[in-house]
Amino acid sequence: MPEIWGKMPITEQPWSTVGEVQRVERFERGVELDCGNARVIISILAANLVRVRMAPNGEFSPRRSWATPVADEEWEQVPFELQETPEALELKTEQIRVTVGRNPVQITCFDQSGRVFAQDAEPGMAWRQGASANWKQIAEDEHFYGFGERTGLLDKRSDRLTNWTTDSLDYTALTDEMYQAIPFFMALRPQLGYGIFFNTTFWSQFDIGAEQYGVWKMQSQSKDLDYYIIYGPEPAQILQTYTQLTGRMPMPPRWSLGYHQCRWSYDSEEEVRQLAQEFRKRQIPCDVIHLDIDYMRGYRVFTWSPKRFPDPKTMVKDLSQDGFKFVTIVDPGVKEETEADYLPFEEGLEHDYFVRTAEGKIFHGYVWPGRAVFPDFLRPDVREWWGNLQKELTDVGIAGVWNDMNEPAMNDRPFGDPGKKMWFPLDAPQGPADEQTTHAEAHNLYGQMMARACAEGLERLRPNARSFVLTRSGYAGVQRWSAVWTGDNQSLWEYLEMSLPALCNLGLSGVAFVGEDIGGFAGNATAELFARWMQVGMLYPMMRAHSTTASARHEPWVFGDRVEKICREYIELRYRLLPYLYTLFWEAASTGAPILRPLLYHFPNDPKTYNLYDQVLLGPSLMAAPVYRPGVEERLVYLPEGEWYDWWSGETYQGANHILAQAPLEKMPLFVRAGAIIPLAPVMQYTDERPMDELRLRVYPGEGEWTLYEDDGHSFEYRTGAWATTTYRVHSDGPQTIVEITARQGEWQPRSRQVIVEVVGKGEQQFEDDGSDRRLTF
């Protein structure tokens, strides 16, 4: 086949395929197949979870200490039946059947109704020098989601998606490689869904029917083929199993759910104090101020500029009195300077903590501080050292760390000079001595292991307070250690439009705590764009505005009184929704459910939701239909089945229908499902301004329930039982609406408060909350 643009033809190395099954050996979790030189192992880890491994030479790679998925032996054994015929094997659990042909060795899965999924296509499992691959069939009505951090729209059918962490500066809708590399996706069609986790940290790629219509392919530059099949049948079940396999997020500090303000850079103590004062004077809620690279002394990590921030500890202490928390940026590049009393460099050099080339030289690249060296975060001793270095920040009172430039991002010459992006040589050794590998295997893990070092260090240094961790780069399972944002976006309408499908696909990849820079990082937002982006940003699990030093300011008040009022209203709505949001974070920590959800998550059997990228659900109950274009003051909205209420007016609509919603600049169309129970807090200027002395339950008539989760919001005591849950139910009894409240569960006790139960369209009742059960009639 000719190369693109008519250059010389390419002769591709042929693929070798698995030979005929010669011997079958059953073991407690599955079967092992001897196929000549190659071996295949199929493991049943749960009733809906199958692991498939193929070793071309018969020898499987050992499990790495840094491996993301839970080890096979940690899964509780599940029963399965094995049947053999001359043509095939069949492994059957209570949820699925898996058949394996003997010649050719190809895998097909079936649900209980006999529907086929994850079916191998020709040539099935194969390998060639430096690569392994698998081909599977695409059903006619199948759609594909997840794939980690991606640009463009929601459904990725017909796309080619590469997993290789990259500094994606100036990314567009056509960009492939991004900051995150998460080789997981889910496929969905009515009544059936499944997920695939491609268990490789090497360079890998999914081709979802781009090369061959009706066939998807995964390939990796690893010698083994290793992947997991997760049966649904719906997205919630797929994600629950996937995050059981790769890990779930911990409960974040409650303040991190508030509004964050950032700029590259607020570069002096005076400027930061003025910023904080402006928020409080204008009564715009804000919890967090981020400090970008200019807080450091010459961009040296774990230092403070003596000129711009001469007394950071006093600044942090003073502003904490007014409710502000601080998050500081940290990059992996350590400035190379000998005999300069720069502890991170000297200690790293003394203990040989930095990445070396295959020839034994310490590798260097150029980042903000100039010539820099880089820790080998694959080593546990290096992670512990790096985590402890954050004492320079926590001693000042810093409550969170923002890990940036950790793909890793660097140039081959000083920043500002014309240079090229680069990363470590692929043959650079990394990892502990007893299981050393090369950067080819470690590259996608670099940012993740930095975030892990940060999170573990902060927990050691701040044992009585949860910290906030943010990372630009990561791999599957990154949610265990860090929140994620989508890097350097731009102040353009198309980036606002891309933000929700990008964050939804991250959520469908197990990463629930996600955000996008409100207003756009690069460029100048218009007043209208900033107002619309703030409305959408209210929905982001992490709500942070951010802008580059080369742009105009992007604080809520710089665009005039009208936009300031809009920003205040939507930030206040965010703070009112904190009890609802905090419960969604608990659900994410408990089950892996995303916080921001595409409509297909709750309506997976409605094909109209499959390509619907410009509407989104915040949890199960609130649906937003934001505006993504200038000058638009009304838009078409699809309401799925059921009854829906307009959040603003209380007007009702029947679902399975489209409506034309009014959307003047002051209004983002927002709808609530019938039967929803939305807990609301009073507006505060920061999350801990005072105890929640009033809890309003906004109840929408219908059939439904909601379990409210609460804890102290800052300590780790929730891990040992210091939490509380209260379940509320609503149903109709003729013309009456009944609200039932169960007795509070758990060991944590909230402060004394009034509970106001407001049934929309029917009135309200209130009572002093003593944790007992109640039944209210409206």
Side-chain angles (χ1 to χ4, degrees):
M1 181 179 179
E3 290 184 49
I4 194 166
W5 312 129
K7 295 182 180 179
M8 298 299 290
I10 297 171
T11 301
E12 288 194 335
Q13 191 180 32
W15 292 95
S16 300
T17 58
V18 177
E20 181 178 2
V21 175
Q22 298 177 3
R23 183 176 61 86
V24 177
E25 183 176 338
R26 177 171 179 158
F27 63 102
E28 66 273 11
R29 297 182 188 274
V31 293
E32 184 171 334
L33 311 179
D34 183 345
C35 306
N37 289 332
R39 286 164 67 204
V40 175
I41 296 178
I42 299 172
S43 304
I44 306 295
L45 302 182
N48 69 330
L49 176 63
V50 179
R51 184 182 186 187
V52 179
R53 302 174 67 193
M54 184 272 293
N57 63 359
E59 294 184 9
F60 291 96
S61 299
R63 177 179 169 82
R64 300 294 200 180
S65 63
W66 55 80
T68 290
V70 173
D72 292 3
E73 57 269 19
E74 294 185 35
W75 291 85
E76 184 178 342
Q77 288 187 34
V78 294
F80 68 93
E81 297 176 14
L82 175 63
Q83 295 182 350
E84 298 188 47
T85 69
E87 293 77 30
L89 317 171
E90 181 178 275
L91 297 87
K92 184 178 181 181
T93 75
E94 62 181 16
Q95 293 190 33
I96 58 172
R97 286 188 295 124
V98 181
T99 64
V100 187
R102 291 179 180 270
N103 190 22
V105 179
Q106 294 189 1
I107 294 172
T108 304
C109 299
F110 302 85
D111 70 2
Q112 288 183 319
S113 298
R115 286 181 286 252
V116 173
F117 65 96
Q119 180 179 15
D120 280 356
E122 291 292 337
M125 294 177 283
W127 69 91
R128 60 188 182 192
Q129 186 175 358
S132 58
N134 186 212
W135 289 255
K136 290 186 182 290
Q137 296 182 21
I138 299 175
E140 191 64 33
D141 55 350
E142 205 159 55
H143 300 261
F144 294 82
Y145 310 98
F147 302 98
E149 181 181 16
R150 299 294 169 183
T151 63
L153 304 183
L154 193 63
D155 183 2
K156 297 304 179 185
R157 183 162 175 163
S158 298
D159 282 2
R160 188 177 285 114
L161 305 117
T162 305
N163 304 300
W164 188 252
T165 60
T166 303
D167 176 10
S168 297
L169 182 67
D170 297 326
Y171 66 81
T172 71
L174 299 178
T175 299
D176 179 15
E177 298 166 352
M178 291 289 288
Y179 307 100
Q180 300 278 327
I182 302 177
F184 169 79
F185 71 84
M186 62 176 65
L188 186 68
R189 61 187 194 261
Q191 312 302 325
L192 183 64
Y194 68 94
I196 296 287
F197 173 48
F198 197 9
N199 186 27
T200 175
T201 62
F202 288 89
W203 178 97
S204 65
Q205 188 178 73
F206 294 109
D207 182 314
I208 311 298
E211 180 179 325
Q212 182 181 355
Y213 183 81
V215 173
W216 69 260
K217 171 188 174 184
M218 56 183 165
Q219 65 172 323
S220 171
Q221 291 177 353
S222 57
K223 66 182 183 68
D224 295 359
L225 182 73
D226 187 354
Y227 70 96
Y228 296 79
I229 304 170
I230 305 169
Y231 168 66
E234 297 183 353
Q237 293 96 323
I238 297 169
L239 270 180
Q240 187 161 1
T241 301
Y242 170 69
T243 55
Q244 188 178 355
L245 179 69
T246 60
R248 295 175 181 143
M249 65 174 288
M251 284 301 291
R254 194 167 179 269
W255 55 260
S256 66
L257 278 59
Y259 178 70
H260 300 229
Q261 184 67 49
C262 185
R263 181 171 172 80
W264 174 32
S265 285
Y266 299 120
D267 60 357
S268 72
E269 179 180 324
E270 180 183 3
E271 189 175 358
V272 170
R273 288 179 181 272
Q274 289 173 350
L275 176 77
Q277 183 180 10
E278 206 68 36
F279 272 104
R280 296 296 179 250
K281 182 180 74 174
R282 294 174 182 271
Q283 293 287 285
I284 299 174
C286 180
D287 267 83
V288 191
I289 296 173
H290 289 236
L291 299 179
D292 212 315
I293 56 176
D294 292 305
Y295 80 88
M296 293 181 264
R297 177 173 61 87
Y299 308 126
R300 295 165 179 83
V301 291
F302 307 115
T303 68
W304 291 87
S305 166
K307 291 183 178 180
R308 291 189 295 275
F309 292 88
D311 190 0
K313 189 170 187 176
T314 299
M315 178 193 73
V316 170
K317 182 180 179 182
D318 289 350
L319 293 182
S320 71
Q321 307 298 318
D322 217 0
F324 288 98
K325 300 289 193 301
F326 283 86
V327 171
T328 48
I329 198 169
V330 173
D331 296 340
V334 176
K335 184 173 178 61
E336 180 185 316
E337 52 180 1
T338 57
E339 300 182 9
D341 294 326
Y342 179 40
L343 192 65
F345 176 74
E346 292 177 356
E347 283 188 348
L349 192 64
E350 178 185 355
H351 296 287
D352 196 21
Y353 286 156
F354 300 124
V355 173
R356 293 180 178 270
T357 66
E359 294 75 31
K361 295 180 179 180
I362 293 181
F363 173 82
H364 74 270
Y366 290 89
V367 216
W368 300 113
R371 182 171 165 128
V373 292
F374 299 84
D376 181 1
F377 294 117
L378 218 57
R379 290 169 49 184
D381 57 335
V382 176
R383 292 199 300 272
E384 183 175 8
W385 166 72
W386 187 264
N388 291 338
L389 285 176
Q390 289 163 114
K391 191 173 188 295
E392 297 297 324
L393 305 174
T394 59
D395 280 355
V396 168
I398 297 305
V401 172
W402 159 23
N403 297 275
D404 198 14
M405 305 288 285
N406 55 350
E407 292 73 31
M410 67 191 82
N411 281 4
D412 63 350
R413 62 193 67 190
F415 278 20
D417 292 347
K420 296 180 180 178
K421 294 181 182 179
M422 58 182 287
W423 47 69
F424 309 149
L426 294 182
D427 63 352
Q430 284 187 251
D434 59 348
E435 56 172 346
Q436 203 164 72
T437 186
T438 64
H439 189 65
E441 184 177 8
H443 175 86
N444 283 334
L445 291 167
Y446 193 78
Q448 176 136 313
M449 292 295 110
M450 180 188 180
R452 177 179 177 178
C454 171
E456 292 174 345
L458 288 174
E459 186 161 342
R460 288 193 302 272
L461 295 166
R462 305 178 76 238
N464 299 316
R466 301 175 220 167
S467 302
F468 173 72
V469 179
L470 183 64
T471 185
R472 193 169 77 174
S473 182
Y475 176 73
V478 67
Q479 63 272 6
R480 294 168 59 188
W481 298 289
S482 183
V484 166
W485 96 106
T486 57
D488 297 339
N489 62 354
Q490 297 189 29
S491 300
L492 299 169
W493 287 94
E494 50 264 44
Y495 286 80
L496 170 59
E497 183 180 22
M498 283 196 300
S499 71
L500 286 183
L503 298 184
C504 283
N505 271 326
L506 273 165
L508 294 177
S509 305
V511 189
F513 201 174
V514 289
E516 182 117 358
D517 286 345
I518 294 170
F521 174 71
N524 300 324
T526 64
E528 183 185 8
L529 173 60
F530 194 80
R532 290 301 193 191
W533 212 319
M534 189 63 76
Q535 291 169 348
V536 176
M538 185 276 292
L539 306 165
Y540 296 166
M542 186 189 80
M543 187 184 188
R544 183 182 80 160
H546 185 29
S547 58
T548 177
T549 186
S551 71
R553 302 293 289 253
H554 280 178
E555 290 82 34
W557 50 82
V558 301
F559 298 97
D561 292 345
R562 185 184 182 190
V563 171
E564 179 182 341
K565 184 179 179 182
I566 292 169
C567 291
R568 182 183 296 106
E569 179 181 356
Y570 280 87
I571 295 173
E572 286 180 347
L573 178 57
R574 168 77 169 208
Y575 278 70
R576 292 182 67 202
L577 286 167
L578 280 175
Y580 179 72
L581 275 166
Y582 196 64
T583 300
L584 294 178
F585 273 81
W586 168 64
E587 186 182 354
S590 304
T591 70
I595 294 158
L596 195 68
R597 304 168 183 177
L599 270 62
L600 62 88
Y601 185 84
H602 286 288
F603 301 94
N605 297 319
D606 182 353
K608 286 187 173 67
T609 68
Y610 289 176
N611 289 300
L612 195 56
Y613 72 92
D614 64 348
Q615 294 175 220
V616 69
L617 286 158
L618 185 61
S621 303
L622 285 174
M623 184 185 71
V627 171
Y628 295 104
R629 286 288 179 264
V632 172
E633 293 194 339
E634 57 185 16
R635 60 154 294 173
L636 195 66
V637 176
Y638 177 65
L639 300 174
E641 63 181 356
E643 189 175 22
W644 293 84
Y645 288 79
D646 185 298
W647 171 268
W648 307 108
S649 69
E651 185 177 355
T652 60
Y653 300 91
Q654 287 303 314
N657 215 343
H658 287 86
I659 64 168
L660 188 65
Q662 297 304 304
L665 185 59
E666 284 72 17
K667 180 182 176 182
M668 175 177 66
L670 193 60
F671 301 88
V672 192
R673 295 171 77 173
I677 301 168
I678 309 292
L680 299 169
V683 172
M684 300 185 194
Q685 293 308 297
Y686 55 97
T687 53
D688 294 324
E689 184 177 15
R690 67 180 191 273
M692 189 170 62
D693 50 14
E694 178 185 293
L695 175 65
R696 177 174 288 270
L697 299 170
R698 187 177 288 180
V699 180
Y700 292 82
E703 302 283 330
E705 72 172 52
W706 175 259
T707 296
L708 174 70
Y709 173 85
E710 300 174 277
D711 60 30
D712 65 21
H714 62 82
S715 78
F716 295 101
E717 292 180 6
Y718 74 93
R719 295 177 178 173
T720 56
W723 49 264
T725 58
T726 308
T727 298
Y728 307 93
R729 296 186 178 90
V730 59
H731 67 273
S732 298
D733 184 4
Q736 295 182 328
T737 297
I738 311 299
V739 177
E740 295 178 339
I741 304 171
T742 64
R744 185 183 300 127
Q745 304 293 310
E747 298 174 8
W748 186 76
Q749 294 294 323
R751 296 282 186 90
S752 175
R753 66 189 178 196
Q754 286 293 115
V755 175
I756 302 169
V757 180
E758 171 199 351
V759 176
V760 173
K762 297 226 172 189
E764 60 183 50
Q765 299 179 34
Q766 65 180 38
F767 57 87
E768 187 78 18
D769 186 10
D770 61 5
S772 62
D773 58 343
R774 294 175 186 269
R775 177 184 171 94
L776 307 178
T777 302
F778 294 82

